[in-house]
Amino acid sequence: MRSRVLGACVATMLVMGAAPAEGVTTRARTRAAVSYLVSHQANDGSFEGSVSPIGGAADAVVSLVAARRGPRAIDRAIDFLRAQVRAGEVDSVGLQAKVAMAAVAAG
């Protein structure tokens, strides 16, 4: 157990202390992140690989709005979230909060 904790600490220090890749700008990182999100959006507007399709779509909306990119992906995700609300699937306080934040972020 002790060696696992030590290993996790060393790994964390290495990652946090690692210098960012030279020549990679914030803009390039943003584009790469947006491309990743958009490439994982399903036809219904949710995002593949999410533990919670509703929560994942809400998180993606907030991220895309913050990046100021992906307006079509945002619209599709909002349409998905709207359909989930109408179907009564947004039934926990956590999901309601996420959907509310996504709606506010999207305007």
Side-chain angles (χ1 to χ4, degrees), residues 32-91:
V34 168
S35 293
Y36 177 84
L37 282 174
V38 171
S39 73
H40 285 79
Q41 190 171 30
N43 290 334
D44 66 359
S46 65
F47 288 81
E48 299 167 356
S50 299
V51 172
S52 163
I54 296 167
D59 290 340
V61 167
V62 172
S63 298
L64 292 168
V65 169
R68 297 181 182 160
R69 302 243 193 280
R72 287 182 296 223
I74 293 168
D75 290 344
R76 289 176 54 208
I78 290 293
D79 288 345
F80 169 77
L81 293 172
R82 186 178 292 119
Q84 299 308 304
V85 169
R86 288 183 179 148
E89 297 296 324
V90 183
D91 54 3

Side-chain angles (χ1 to χ4, degrees), residues 9-22:
C9 290
V10 170
T12 301
M13 289 187 303
L14 288 173
V15 170
M16 296 191 72
E22 290 184 32

